Amino acid sequence: MYSKHEDDPNLCTAEKLIRYGIAKQIHRYSEIPDCSIVLNPLANKYLKSSDRIYIEKCGIVAIDVSWKRGLKILRKIRKGNHRILPILIAANNINYGKPFKLSTAEALIAALLTTGFHEEAMKIASLFKWGQQFIELNKNRIERYMLAQSDEELEQIQRELFSISISQNIKIIDLLHKYVVET
């Protein structure tokens, strides 16, 4: 967990995961393992089930920064295999029902489920009142995303799940990047 400690530590899901010993604090970019999966909303590739091999070998890194203030940090990190999550719906108290606005814990739960680490995802979910609801709310989406073998397939699945009928020339990943930068 790379955290800039921008949130109230009592409300921050990343801080809670560190306190419970589920996540290890990373203090410098250089501590990010080269072969790890780095969850980054500015990444150019989606997280897929085939990324499991990287997580088994080197782990998964969540970057806990404010999207508004942390864009420079998200762009600066070079280590690891950067991946973006496909569209999911938040269940946390602050952003309930909103797409894209996942807490750090929700992002980790989704990443772990997508890559087949069900037990680890359930352990994290159990720490939060909304944890199980997040899983239920996104269960069908995550199951569909797990089947995708390519970024193109993930793009198509998202178009179907969310009835997105934008031009085929515009990629959903580009819309996700635009959303991160503008919010």
Side-chain angles (χ1 to χ4, degrees):
M1 189 76 60
Y2 180 84
S3 177
K4 292 299 282 182
H5 308 288
E6 297 172 328
D7 299 322
D8 178 341
N10 296 320
L11 300 175
C12 178
T13 63
E15 295 291 332
K16 187 172 186 173
L17 294 174
I18 293 168
R19 278 194 312 272
Y20 278 79
I22 292 174
K24 178 183 139 188
Q25 176 81 41
I26 291 176
H27 300 284
R28 291 177 291 288
Y29 306 140
S30 61
E31 296 177 49
I32 297 173
D34 286 327
C35 64
S36 66
I37 291 294
V38 177
L39 298 179
N40 184 340
L42 297 178
N44 291 315
K45 291 183 179 180
Y46 287 106
L47 180 76
K48 295 179 281 304
S49 59
S50 59
D51 289 317
R52 178 184 174 95
I53 191 166
Y54 297 113
I55 297 171
E56 286 176 334
K57 188 173 180 183
C58 295
I60 188 167
V61 177
I63 311 297
D64 185 59
V65 295
S66 163
W67 284 8
K68 290 179 183 176
R69 295 184 299 257
L71 288 176
K72 193 184 317 182
I73 291 168
L74 292 169
R75 288 183 178 123
K76 195 174 193 179
I77 298 171
R78 298 282 180 240
K79 293 189 79 177
N81 299 291
H82 291 244
R83 299 292 188 265
I84 187 172
L85 292 170
I87 302 170
L88 295 164
I89 307 298
N92 66 71
N93 298 340
I94 297 169
N95 293 305
Y96 183 85
K98 295 180 184 176
F100 319 115
K101 292 282 198 169
L102 306 183
S103 68
T104 301
E106 286 171 315
L108 283 170
I109 292 166
L112 290 167
L113 288 173
T114 300
T115 54
F117 292 96
H118 187 267
E119 188 175 313
E120 292 83 352
M122 298 308 285
K123 185 174 183 179
I124 293 173
S126 72
L127 297 175
F128 302 94
K129 293 178 197 172
W130 44 258
Q132 193 58 43
Q133 188 170 10
F134 173 75
I135 292 169
E136 288 303 315
L137 190 61
N138 291 288
K139 183 179 181 190
N140 292 337
R141 292 176 191 97
I142 291 171
E143 287 174 354
R144 294 272 315 270
Y145 296 155
M146 286 176 70
L147 299 175
Q149 299 298 311
S150 67
D151 284 0
E152 292 75 21
E153 281 184 65
L154 272 166
E155 288 274 324
Q156 185 57 40
I157 291 167
Q158 290 175 96
R159 288 177 193 277
E160 291 168 13
L161 289 173
F162 291 94
S163 302
I164 299 171
S165 60
I166 56 175
S167 165
Q168 293 298 324
N169 296 331
I170 299 173
K171 292 185 175 183
I172 293 171
I173 201 167
D174 294 332
L175 295 176
L176 293 170
H177 292 162
K178 186 176 184 206
Y179 178 81
V180 170
V181 171
E182 291 178 355
T183 57

